[in-house]
Amino acid sequence: MKKQTIAIHTPYVRRDAYGSLAVTIYNNVSFEFEDAQTMSDAFCNRIKAPDYARIANPTVTQFEQRVKALTEAEHVTAFNSGMAAISTVLFAVVAQGKNIVTSRHLFGNTLALISGTLLRLGVKPRLRELTDLEAVEAAVDEQTACVYLEAVTNPQLEVADLKGIADIAHRKGVPMIVDSTVIPFTETSLKELGVDVEVVSSTKYISGGGTSLGGLIIDYGTFPKINKLVKYDLLINLGVYMTPQTAYMQTLGLETLDVRYQRQAASALWLAEALRGLPAIADVNYIGLEDNLYHELAVRQFGPTAGAMLTIDLKSKEACFEFLNRLQLIHRATNLFDSRTLAIHPASTIFGLFPERQLQQMDVRQTTIRLSVGLEAPEDLLQDIEQALSKNNQ
């Protein structure tokens, strides 16, 4: 079956007692067992059965099963945010004295986790240009816990050679972990490129309209120790499991993901091409544009679509603020891939607590606006952008 069919028709782990077609919300904490031996088997992982809702819940399990079917992963675990998924998978691979080979071009909180929180615990960040395979080769050594990167960086929209990096990592016995949030797993197979583990903010495309926070670890089973630590150690000890209410909403979102994504990606491409003709815009960055630096590599890795995030550069930070203040249809808000189009000035918000020198190292410019393209008619979005820029043209 095609992926849009799998997203709707993945069989339930257990049939609902009343034959409900929609996933059932198990809004409970405890589960009763027929006898003491069955209870012991469930708690000690000898049988697959929920024992306590902080660790397992049938609604969340069904969501995980659908993602597993879509990705052909060995294991999928759902969390209460994207950052929870990222921190959990990194805790699974690091130890004091180890290092993480990664990039300066990471989402702000992820970089703060690796360069701040984990550094305080004795894990060293090795920040390299991951578009340079020789730099990656030189950085990975016997103390490297993992190579970590984003498939498409936010907001720089940088794309690295995933297969090339995976080959280096695997030759040295190191897992490659990739945040694939910007291009959904219904559109591409990073498993085929050698990615060992994907982390996804399911808050974005999957939730469908910004309904709920969530995250996923999608483990392809090439480093078995990772799943063992996530599922039977960190999940239990950290208490970051997804709630059944979120799993219900995100299962519904998963059913419409493909049709929404195709519309959003098409609108993003149309809008990016249209925005290049506006004199007030100094630059439009979108990997779907044929002359984009990363376009050819992105097509080879992710297929014909390029996601629903693009950036524009204006003449100054003041022009960016003025532009944002004049928007009437597009919302001034963070988040990505909502049904509504969202605009934000990353340097003063998401990266607002970073010093200017570090922003320059991360290629986060004061002149950049990030746009997350929603489901509106792109012509209406263009009209709103034009009127918001009109004062800058005077």
Side-chain angles (χ1 to χ4, degrees):
M1 294 188 292
K2 301 293 185 182
K3 287 190 175 182
Q4 59 264 41
T5 307
I6 293 172
I8 299 170
H9 289 279
T10 301
Y12 291 111
V13 178
R14 294 185 185 179
R15 181 179 174 86
D16 178 73
Y18 296 96
S20 172
L21 286 178
V23 64
T24 304
I25 303 175
Y26 286 85
N27 193 29
N28 60 295
V29 172
S30 301
F31 301 89
E32 187 176 15
F33 297 91
E34 292 294 327
D35 53 62
Q37 185 59 52
T38 304
M39 177 183 281
S40 176
D41 289 342
F43 272 78
C44 296
N45 305 310
R46 289 187 290 269
I47 61 172
K48 290 186 178 294
D51 48 14
Y52 187 57
R54 179 167 57 82
I55 303 163
N57 176 280
T59 311
V60 184
T61 298
Q62 180 56 31
F63 176 56
E64 293 168 337
Q65 287 295 112
R66 292 202 192 192
V67 175
K68 182 178 177 181
L70 285 164
T71 58
E72 299 180 356
E74 193 76 21
H75 310 282
V76 174
T77 309
F79 296 83
N80 55 27
S81 72
M83 282 305 304
I86 292 169
S87 58
T88 301
V89 77
L90 290 180
F91 276 126
V93 297
V94 300
Q96 190 174 32
K98 293 286 189 177
N99 65 72
I100 297 174
V101 174
T102 189
S103 168
R104 287 185 176 86
H105 297 161
L106 291 178
F107 176 66
N109 292 119
T110 308
L111 186 62
L113 170 68
I114 294 173
S115 297
T117 307
L118 293 179
L119 179 60
R120 291 198 301 273
L121 300 178
V123 180
K124 298 177 181 178
R126 288 190 175 172
L127 305 180
R128 301 292 188 270
E129 292 294 332
L130 298 190
T131 55
D132 180 350
L133 292 181
E134 291 184 359
V136 176
E137 179 85 43
V140 178
D141 61 19
E142 64 277 2
Q143 293 302 313
T144 300
C146 69
V147 178
Y148 181 92
L149 67 153
E150 296 170 5
V152 180
T153 66
N154 169 20
Q156 302 90 349
L157 293 166
E158 177 184 272
V159 179
D161 181 350
L162 299 182
K163 182 68 167 60
I165 295 174
D167 288 345
I168 294 169
H170 295 163
R171 191 167 64 250
K172 299 190 177 188
V174 171
M176 184 167 80
I177 302 171
V178 174
D179 182 336
S180 61
T181 298
V182 173
I183 305 291
F185 48 70
T186 51
E187 194 65 16
T188 184
S189 174
L190 298 193
K191 176 183 180 181
E192 294 179 0
L193 297 175
V195 173
D196 300 296
V197 180
E198 287 182 56
V199 288
V200 178
S201 173
S202 56
T203 309
K204 309 304 191 291
Y205 288 119
I206 296 173
S207 75
T211 62
S212 49
L213 289 168
L216 292 163
I217 292 177
I218 301 170
D219 182 358
Y220 293 109
T222 44
F223 287 81
K225 178 184 175 183
I226 294 176
N227 179 68
K228 183 178 180 181
L229 284 171
V230 168
K231 203 75 176 179
Y232 305 121
D233 184 349
L234 296 168
L235 187 66
I236 296 171
N237 295 339
L238 297 181
V240 288
Y241 195 49
M242 181 177 279
T243 67
Q245 295 87 352
T246 293
Y248 170 76
M249 288 186 284
Q250 298 201 355
T251 299
L252 295 183
L254 199 60
E255 293 181 353
T256 62
L257 169 59
D258 183 69
V259 67
R260 287 185 289 104
Y261 172 74
Q262 297 300 332
R263 171 64 183 270
Q264 288 174 275
S267 293
L269 177 58
W270 186 93
L271 192 61
E273 291 173 339
L275 291 176
R276 301 180 92 177
L278 300 183
I281 296 179
D283 184 59
V284 178
N285 188 11
Y286 181 62
I287 61 173
L289 295 170
E290 291 187 358
D291 60 352
N292 183 277
L293 176 64
Y294 302 109
H295 177 74
E296 184 179 340
L297 178 60
V299 170
R300 191 162 70 245
Q301 295 187 151
F302 312 132
T305 64
M309 177 176 69
L310 60 95
T311 65
I312 59 174
D313 275 81
L314 305 182
K315 61 185 179 181
S316 65
K317 177 181 177 180
E318 292 71 27
C320 290
F321 274 42
E322 187 174 85
F323 167 77
L324 288 170
N325 291 340
R326 290 169 64 88
L327 290 172
Q328 297 175 3
L329 176 65
I330 298 171
H331 296 271
R332 293 173 291 275
T334 191
N335 197 20
L336 287 170
F337 318 133
D338 195 306
S339 297
R340 303 158 188 80
T341 297
L342 311 176
I344 195 169
H345 181 251
S348 65
T349 54
I350 301 167
F351 297 88
L353 298 179
F354 288 86
E356 182 61 32
R357 182 181 177 184
Q358 193 169 0
L359 291 181
Q360 292 174 5
Q361 293 173 342
M362 297 162 67
D363 291 325
V364 176
R365 297 184 295 273
Q366 295 290 348
T367 56
T368 300
I369 295 287
R370 187 188 77 185
L371 294 171
S372 169
V373 180
L375 294 172
E376 305 94 340
E379 296 85 354
D380 293 332
L381 299 174
L382 177 61
Q383 185 177 24
D384 191 34
I385 292 170
E386 288 176 328
Q387 69 79 24
L389 289 171
S390 59
K391 191 172 182 181
N392 293 320
N393 284 328
Q394 296 174 0

